[in-house]
């Protein structure tokens, strides 16, 4: 059952992990990006040791501003001793992460199951 | 000019599309949609289409945000020449200009966790050729309609 629904992100919780699915195929618009960032921020602040999984299955375009939003979320998560995983990223989007070397910063897994199993408890 | 002959383009001298917009993101959507519609009309391969969409977004955001500093009185000028072989896009702002060589590499360890500064890297990675002129206020970028932009990306200050 969806816990929190926004036009851009659907969040479900499973075993203490917030699974966030992007609903828009293009994460380009600044308003959209801010909205996603605000939802992630609220999840991060909600509890100690937050765990967030971002599912990119529906995403076929994103901008550098979206990458900045993800980095900001990652930085805030670390401050809260939290964990972030990204999964199901399409090859074209994965290339964006590789070109910017952000594939070294984020933990990126192929499937949702792999990502869920990778969280330390 | 050498940049015209380097790119395998049959682009006419007059661009297909021309736009002038204020420095506000809400005006850029329609521009991007029209340019991408022209790209789609010419049946670009998926990777070239992705590259153009990304570079166009980054270029316009940079012009509005960094070039014109969101000053609504300043305009961004966008031109696009789309043929079946290649696309040339020019984005120009009315800001003070900048030195491309002074932009830090966002891939450097000390910059990796910074939230901004990746737009130019992405433009230069995805477009076949990129030129910065008029003190950095004018960006001209080319993308061939081929799966991989194999030509080395260059920039001219």
């Amino acid at each position: 059952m969806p816990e929190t629904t926004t036009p851009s992100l659907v969040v479900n919780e499973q075993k203490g992990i917030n699974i966030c699915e992007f609903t828009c195929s293009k994460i380009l618009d600044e308003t959209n990006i801010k909205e996603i960032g605000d939802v992630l921020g609220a999840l991060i602040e909600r509890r100690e040791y937050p765990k967030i999984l971002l599912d990119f299955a529906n995403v076929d375009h994103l901008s550098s501003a979206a990458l900045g939003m993800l980095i900001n979320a990652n930085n805030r998560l670390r401050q809260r001793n939290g964990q972030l995983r990204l999964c199901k990223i399409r090859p074209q989007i994965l290339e964006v992460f590789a070109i910017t070397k952000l594939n070294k910063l984020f933990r990126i897994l192929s499937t949702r199951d792999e990502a869920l199993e990778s969280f330390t408890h | 000019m050498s940049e015209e002959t380097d790119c395998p383009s049959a682009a006419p001298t007059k661009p297909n599309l021309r736009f002038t917009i204020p420095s506000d993101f809400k005006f850029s959507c329609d521009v991007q949609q029209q340019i991408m519609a022209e790209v789609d009309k010419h049946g670009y391969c998926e990777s070239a289409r992705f590259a153009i969409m990304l570079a166009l977004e980054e270029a316009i955001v940079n012009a509005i945000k960094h070039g014109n500093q969101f000053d609504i009185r300043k305009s961004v000028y966008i031109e696009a020449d789309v043929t079946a072989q290649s696309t040339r896009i020019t984005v120009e702002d009315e800001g003070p200009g900048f030195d491309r060589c002074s932009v830090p590499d966002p891939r450097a360890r000390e910059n990796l966790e910074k939230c901004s500064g990746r737009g130019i890297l992405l433009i230069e990675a995805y477009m076949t050729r990129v030129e910065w002129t008029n003190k950095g206020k004018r960006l001209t970028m080319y993308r061939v309609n081929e799966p991989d932009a194999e030509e080395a990306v260059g920039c001219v200050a």
Side-chain angles (χ1 to χ4, degrees), chain B residues 11-66:
Chain B
T13 52
K14 189 176 175 184
N16 303 136
L17 300 165
R18 279 181 173 166
F19 308 91
T20 300
I21 59 169
S23 298
D24 187 324
F25 291 137
K26 70 183 180 204
F27 295 101
S28 65
C29 273
D30 186 54
V31 171
Q32 291 168 271
Q33 281 173 5
Q34 287 193 51
I35 292 174
M36 292 315 299
E38 194 67 21
V39 168
D40 288 340
K41 248 197 287 184
H42 288 85
Y44 272 53
C45 65
E46 180 51 35
S47 58
R49 189 188 187 280
F50 178 91
I52 292 166
M53 180 180 273
L54 178 58
L56 179 59
E57 162 74 22
E58 299 296 335
I60 295 177
V61 165
N62 278 354
I64 290 173
K65 184 174 178 181
H66 299 295

Side-chain angles (χ1 to χ4, degrees), chain A residues 26 28-30 60-65 67-69 71-72 74-75 78 92-93 95-96 98-102 104-105, chain B residues 25 29 32 46-51 53-54 57-58 61 65 70 106-107 112-116 118-119 121-122 125-126:
Chain A
K26 295 170 181 23
L28 299 170
D29 178 71
E30 292 267 330
D60 61 26
H61 273 277
L62 55 62
S63 65
S64 64
L67 295 175
M69 177 268 296
I71 292 167
N72 184 50
N74 192 51
N75 291 341
R78 282 224 309 268
Q92 268 183 346
I93 303 296
E95 189 180 21
V96 176
I99 285 168
T100 55
K101 295 226 184 312
L102 290 176
K104 309 292 183 193
L105 184 70
Chain B
F25 291 137
C29 273
Q32 291 168 271
E46 180 51 35
S47 58
R49 189 188 187 280
F50 178 91
M53 180 180 273
L54 178 58
E57 162 74 22
E58 299 296 335
V61 165
K65 184 174 178 181
F70 294 109
R107 299 164 299 184
L112 203 59
E113 293 181 354
K114 290 186 180 170
C115 294
S116 62
R118 292 173 183 81
L121 169 68
L122 290 172
Y126 277 94

Side-chain angles (χ1 to χ4, degrees), chain A residues 16-28:
Chain A
I17 299 167
N18 291 298
I19 301 171
C20 307
E21 269 183 275
F22 294 100
T23 54
C24 293
S25 64
K26 295 170 181 23
I27 315 177
L28 299 170

Side-chain angles (χ1 to χ4, degrees), chain A residues 43-117:
Chain A
L43 291 174
I44 292 166
E45 295 303 320
R46 194 195 286 183
R47 60 176 65 149
E48 275 194 292
Y49 311 107
K51 298 186 179 75
I52 295 178
L53 167 56
L54 297 176
D55 185 327
F56 281 76
N58 295 324
V59 178
D60 61 26
H61 273 277
L62 55 62
S63 65
S64 64
L67 295 175
M69 177 268 296
L70 294 174
I71 292 167
N72 184 50
N74 192 51
N75 291 341
R76 291 173 71 180
L77 264 167
R78 282 224 309 268
Q79 288 167 6
R80 305 268 299 160
N81 297 307
Q83 299 176 60
L84 177 66
R85 304 288 185 269
L86 282 54
C87 72
K88 292 163 79 176
I89 300 179
R90 297 182 190 193
Q92 268 183 346
I93 303 296
L94 209 50
E95 189 180 21
V96 176
F97 281 86
I99 285 168
T100 55
K101 295 226 184 312
L102 290 176
N103 56 338
K104 309 292 183 193
L105 184 70
F106 295 108
R107 286 281 300 273
I108 299 174
L109 294 305
S110 299
T111 68
R112 190 185 277 199
D113 285 343
E114 285 173 354
L116 286 169
E117 284 168 20

